[in-house]
Amino acid sequence: MVELRHPSSSLGSRVASSPIKRDEDTSPLIHDHFSQHVEDHPRHSSRDRERSFWWQTYSFSSFSKDDPRFSQRGSRISLFLLLFVAIAGLISIFSILNRLNSPYLCIKDGIVLHCPRVKEKPSLWENPFSATTSWKPCAERREGGISAKASHYFEHCADLPPENETSGYLFIHAEGGLNQQRIAICNAVAVAKIMNATLILPVLKQDQIWKDQTKFEDIFDVDHFINYLKDDVRIVRDIPEWFTDKSELFTSIRVFLMCNRRTVKNIPKYAPAQFYIDNVLPRIKEKKIMSLKPFVDRLGYDNVPPEINRLRCRVNYHALKFLPEIEQMSDLLVSRMRNRTGSPNPYMALHLRFEKGMVGLSFCDFVGTREEKARMAEYRQKEWPRRYKNGTHLWQLALQKRKEGRCPLEPGEVAVILRAMGYPKETQIYVASGQVYGGQNRMAPLRNMFPNLGFTLPVPLLIYGSIKAVYLFRPVTKEELASKEELAAFRKHVTSLAALDFLVCLKSDVFVMTHGGNFAKLIIGARRYVGHRQKSIKPDKGLMSKSFGDPYMGWANFVEDVVITHQTRTGLPEETFPNYDLWENPLTPCMCKA
């Protein structure tokens, strides 16, 4: 039988598995025949080498027919290969489908933001459509109380009463400007939910800068606020009548609470939810009413249940609505802004934070005369004596802050960045700002590059005994778009005017911030929440400081740096950074995949 075997079977035995080798060891006939075959054919022809694989396959199959052990093992290998190919194919299909269905999301790597590429051409006025359809707002969704997943946040929840009862009354003082108050109100609702307490309508209390006596109902729609949140937190308009010593709730003292041990303990900034369960709740149950004042940043973000963060978004984006007259006036200002040239045009809203107080508080160095810098040094020494000290360390501090991007952008710097991005000089710009430090001279570069920034009005002045016309520049603000009579009703409260600025900036085609603050954070967050379509430009001040300080950089290189740097800094979808930017980027806790 061995002599009748096809010669190619011996060739296949050289590349097959161990059973052939065992046959070679035990059968001298096979060994002799193989040796004779090799001697008869010492060298393969090129045609034989090309067909070697197919000869090996044939010998493999013919040999497997004769040896059942080899046939069984070969079938196992074939089955394994088929299974491997099937699994690899499924993985590839799922990977492709996952890529096609995965939402658009930018990933932050340190300070760099990496975003998926899109095929659409870049636009000055809108983010790419394909980048803005993956997410939708879902903070209005109610999931019924604290979920089981969040139970690890509350280690001692046995003292919490049922949801149809109340632990007591919580009274909050919301201090600062309009936007700081807004955040405090959102946090107050969240704290009341954590302790299952009844929230008394918060009191809006301005600090020394905002000398204004505005009530909650002067700015926000109270009925909508209470009704919208009725399934989350019980809210009442006034302090209960049975509580007689109401003056105790309004005394100007530091925020404190009395624990069961009767020790005074400050509420820390960004306190976790468990802190209120362990410390504030016992006091509320004992005294029935608890006052927290001031109430600024007294609740954390990544140390509270996800449902609480979602509730904060529900308050911010759905429950807190401005009064109808404020909304209507803002719509009128927006309409006039879009039609300033007689035909509909997009407009940009610029939050220019370069007031004297902001410049002084920043402790940064800016271009100016010796007299200006001397006056600023005196101002800083008067307002912030502990930080100023003797002033010898301020120059090094100013250089470090500018390098780190912690200095406000000057109007001229803003103008250069916007022109480098490609915005033409005809761009319509609405300015939300206080009195710009440096006045007309400081605004000149921005005005020259963007003439539609405002108006130039002749003002008669007496100069050397004769009256001459001096032309002064006035940026486009709400005061320029509306008459004194139209704004008269809103001048009663500073926060009403701030609300108009907020809404005009919120409804703009492009919003540009020049420095941090609650105003810019809340606007960028709200524009992201409604779909990321509207551009919200956040300049990279650190990188721009390097470019501005490079005397050898040409305009072309500067434009390239600006465009590349700010491609991803326009309010695109990205994960919420832990701990602090819920108001600027609500995506992770408050938005869902579309």
Side-chain angles (χ1 to χ4, degrees), residues 559-575:
V559 169
E560 183 180 3
D561 282 356
V562 170
V563 171
I564 293 176
T565 301
H566 295 89
Q567 282 178 343
T568 59
R569 300 180 68 88
T570 59
L572 292 168
E574 62 175 297
E575 290 182 332

Side-chain angles (χ1 to χ4, degrees), residues 308-338:
I308 295 300
N309 282 331
R310 193 173 297 115
L311 175 60
R312 286 157 133 172
C313 290
R314 186 148 62 247
V315 179
N316 187 25
Y317 302 124
H318 298 279
L320 279 176
K321 289 183 62 177
F322 291 113
L323 291 176
E325 50 266 33
I326 296 177
E327 293 278 357
Q328 292 169 7
M329 188 64 204
S330 70
D331 290 338
L332 180 61
L333 295 175
V334 169
S335 176
R336 291 176 180 176
M337 190 67 206
R338 294 191 189 280

Side-chain angles (χ1 to χ4, degrees), residues 261-515:
R261 297 180 180 179
R262 296 294 179 182
T263 58
V264 178
K265 192 172 186 179
N266 289 334
I267 297 180
K269 274 194 170 185
Y270 309 116
Q274 191 63 45
F275 179 89
Y276 288 90
I277 296 293
D278 294 339
N279 299 286
V280 184
L281 179 60
R283 182 63 174 170
I284 288 183
K285 295 178 69 175
E286 177 188 352
K287 296 295 184 180
K288 300 303 179 185
I289 292 183
M290 185 67 193
S291 175
L292 304 180
K293 49 191 175 186
F295 190 70
V296 180
D297 298 328
R298 302 293 167 177
L299 182 64
Y301 299 100
D302 56 349
N303 51 9
V304 300
E307 288 85 351
I308 295 300
N309 282 331
R310 193 173 297 115
L311 175 60
R312 286 157 133 172
C313 290
R314 186 148 62 247
V315 179
N316 187 25
Y317 302 124
H318 298 279
L320 279 176
K321 289 183 62 177
F322 291 113
L323 291 176
E325 50 266 33
I326 296 177
E327 293 278 357
Q328 292 169 7
M329 188 64 204
S330 70
D331 290 338
L332 180 61
L333 295 175
V334 169
S335 176
R336 291 176 180 176
M337 190 67 206
R338 294 191 189 280
N339 294 277
R340 283 188 64 216
T341 60
S343 59
N345 288 296
Y347 76 93
M348 173 189 295
L350 175 63
H351 186 219
L352 191 58
R353 299 211 68 188
F354 207 76
E355 306 90 345
K356 182 179 180 179
M358 179 55 62
V359 172
L361 181 61
S362 69
F363 278 85
C364 295
D365 185 65
F366 298 96
V367 176
T369 63
R370 292 185 178 181
E371 291 76 12
E372 285 180 327
K373 294 190 176 185
R375 289 195 297 268
M376 178 55 67
E378 294 176 1
Y379 174 70
R380 287 170 173 169
Q381 187 176 19
K382 178 183 177 181
E383 296 294 331
W384 302 279
R386 292 185 179 180
R387 291 185 60 186
Y388 186 85
K389 298 179 182 179
N390 58 6
T392 56
H393 68 293
L394 295 182
W395 174 247
Q396 190 65 31
L397 176 64
L399 290 177
Q400 180 182 353
K401 295 188 72 173
R402 184 166 290 278
K403 183 179 179 181
E404 296 172 353
R406 294 191 289 145
C407 293
L409 288 173
E410 296 187 42
E413 293 174 329
V414 176
V416 173
I417 292 174
L418 293 178
R419 287 304 296 271
M421 287 182 180
Y423 289 98
K425 64 179 183 179
E426 296 82 13
T427 302
Q428 302 290 329
I429 300 180
Y430 178 89
V431 179
S433 171
Q435 185 66 38
V436 174
Y437 176 69
Q440 298 286 323
N441 292 335
R442 188 74 66 175
M443 289 290 292
L446 183 59
R447 180 183 70 241
N448 293 335
M449 291 189 186
F450 295 96
N452 287 332
L453 180 73
F455 306 91
T456 302
L457 301 176
V459 178
L461 292 179
L462 183 63
I463 301 177
Y464 296 111
S466 61
I467 297 178
K468 295 184 179 181
V470 177
Y471 289 87
L472 298 179
F473 172 77
R474 298 185 66 176
V476 179
T477 62
K478 53 187 174 297
E479 288 79 9
E480 299 301 327
L481 295 174
S483 64
K484 292 183 179 180
E485 293 74 19
E486 289 175 319
L487 293 178
F490 303 96
R491 294 187 183 279
K492 299 178 182 178
H493 306 290
V494 176
T495 46
S496 296
L497 296 175
L500 291 177
D501 273 338
F502 183 91
L503 290 172
V504 175
C505 290
L506 179 64
K507 299 172 183 179
S508 65
D509 298 278
V510 172
F511 173 73
V512 181
M513 63 175 291
T514 60
H515 199 50

Side-chain angles (χ1 to χ4, degrees), residues 12 31 40 45 70 118 136 205 247 256 319 471 485 500 562:
H31 178 74
D40 294 339
S45 65
F70 195 88
V118 296
K136 63 180 181 180
K205 185 178 180 182
S247 61
F256 74 93
Y471 289 87
E485 293 74 19
L500 291 177
V562 170

